Amino acid sequence: MHTYGKIGCCSFAVAGILHLCTTVFICLYLHPVEVAHQEEKHTIGLHYITVSSFVLLAVSCLISRLLFQEQHYQIVWRSLLLGIGQAFGITIALCCSANYTSLGWYILIMSFFHFSEFVVTSVIRPQNLSLESFLLNHSKAYGIAALISWIEYWTEFWLFPGFKNAYWISMLGLLLCIGGEVLRKTAMLTAFHNFDHLIRTRREEQHQLVTTGIYSLCRHPSYVGWFYWSIGTQIILCNPLCAVAYTFASWKFFHERVFEEEVTLLHFFGRDYVAYQSKVPTGLPFIHGYNM
């Protein structure tokens, strides 16, 4: 693992532990308000935990800024953000009102995905590890899509609060995200140094065509995993509009991405890739890739 990966893991773990300690402190000492209903008590606890999470993040980032050089600091604050985010998601899902359980799952899933992308990259391609490996700034469209999904969630939560309590639907989304996450990380680890977040335009000397393991079942398992993971995030939130929009947008993105990537793969591997194409599907619905 790259040194940056170790720094990120330590920061992520420390952030999670600090958040856990803060949550316990709030539950034991800063929750003296007597209320008539358990639901109101949980809501007050959520407010305390949310404020404390932002304060913890701000203080941690400030201390890190004083302790680390610029390059290390950029890794540390992102890892702190995701570590606190994951701990925050777990806390909401387990300790707060049942109305916010699906939101807790969503925050947990999002935080883990982005941090695990960085960690796995630090293992399989340490020479290419960078701040972009977190995929937090994947693209402007990715950020806009996330923002729209949050707007839909809170709008529907405000107008139809009971609509977000369809736990069996949220559980389906959670399982879809977990399956997609496992599939994507399995693909990354199987391809190892042959994997890259960017489409390569030049074949590296050690670049090999991987057709074993999960790649014997589909040609683009990492894309398949990400495709279903993205849809699962909206099913967790019970966002009907974004669930449909994410399905269409993700399909369109991967349709173009697979086509573009297979042009380069055919250039790199020639007949070997043609033979591979004829035996193994892309794994994505109604996406066939580039055929010569």
Side-chain angles (χ1 to χ4, degrees):
M1 178 183 288
H2 195 282
T3 301
Y4 290 169
K6 295 177 181 178
I7 292 174
C9 286
C10 290
S11 302
F12 184 84
V14 169
I17 293 171
L18 287 175
H19 189 280
L20 175 62
C21 294
T22 302
T23 301
V24 171
F25 180 77
I26 289 172
C27 293
L28 292 178
Y29 300 104
L30 296 182
H31 204 355
V33 181
E34 294 293 334
V35 293
H37 302 288
Q38 187 71 13
E39 188 68 25
E40 186 178 351
K41 181 178 180 180
H42 283 310
T43 302
I44 294 173
L46 175 63
H47 293 163
Y48 277 132
I49 293 170
T50 301
V51 172
S52 68
S53 297
F54 279 106
V55 172
L56 177 61
L57 177 62
V59 172
S60 299
C61 288
L62 178 60
I63 294 174
S64 301
R65 191 70 182 89
L66 298 175
L67 294 178
F68 294 97
Q69 296 178 348
E70 179 64 22
Q71 195 168 12
H72 288 171
Y73 168 70
Q74 293 298 327
I75 294 171
V76 169
W77 81 255
R78 287 169 172 80
S79 300
L80 290 171
L81 170 66
L82 296 173
I84 291 174
Q86 178 159 295
F88 181 56
I90 294 173
T91 302
I92 293 177
L94 297 180
C95 304
C96 295
S97 170
N99 291 332
Y100 301 102
T101 299
S102 61
L103 178 62
W105 289 348
Y106 170 80
I107 296 173
L108 166 62
I109 286 293
M110 290 290 287
S111 299
F112 182 82
F113 172 80
H114 286 286
F115 184 71
S116 63
E117 287 290 310
F118 180 79
V119 171
V120 174
T121 302
S122 76
V123 173
I124 64 175
R125 285 186 69 81
Q127 71 277 15
N128 282 29
L129 188 67
S130 67
L131 297 177
E132 282 68 33
S133 301
F134 284 105
L135 298 185
L136 287 170
N137 55 341
H138 177 262
S139 66
K140 183 181 294 185
Y142 183 80
I144 293 174
L147 178 60
I148 292 174
S149 74
W150 302 339
I151 292 173
E152 180 183 352
Y153 175 83
W154 287 113
T155 300
E156 292 172 350
F157 186 88
W158 178 56
L159 295 175
F160 317 105
F163 183 70
K164 299 299 182 181
N165 290 341
Y167 300 118
W168 66 273
I169 295 179
S170 294
M171 180 60 72
L172 177 62
L174 180 63
L175 294 175
L176 198 59
C177 284
I178 293 174
E181 180 74 38
V182 170
L183 181 59
R184 178 169 172 82
K185 295 309 183 291
T186 299
M188 293 174 70
L189 292 170
T190 300
F192 217 77
H193 64 266
N194 298 292
F195 182 89
D196 203 331
H197 281 131
L198 302 175
I199 295 177
R200 302 184 201 179
T201 57
R202 179 177 57 85
R203 182 180 178 182
E204 299 177 356
E205 184 177 352
Q206 73 276 18
H207 192 184
Q208 299 175 335
L209 177 61
V210 180
T211 60
T212 58
I214 193 67
Y215 286 87
S216 65
L217 302 178
C218 55
R219 299 202 301 270
H220 300 279
S222 67
Y223 293 162
V224 175
W226 198 352
F227 175 74
Y228 287 109
W229 175 90
S230 66
I231 298 171
T233 60
Q234 299 312 299
I235 297 177
I236 287 178
L237 294 176
C238 296
N239 281 353
L241 299 179
C242 279
V244 174
Y246 269 53
T247 300
F248 175 76
S250 296
W251 185 90
K252 185 175 184 297
F253 170 79
F254 287 117
H255 181 270
E256 297 172 354
R257 177 87 172 195
V258 168
F259 186 91
E260 182 181 353
E261 183 169 315
E262 292 204 335
V263 170
T264 64
L265 291 172
L266 284 165
H267 176 68
F268 291 165
F269 302 109
R271 293 181 179 178
D272 288 340
Y273 197 77
V274 173
Y276 179 52
Q277 280 183 312
S278 66
K279 297 176 182 177
V280 181
T282 64
L284 292 158
F286 308 108
I287 295 179
H288 306 292
Y290 178 82
N291 294 304
M292 294 181 65

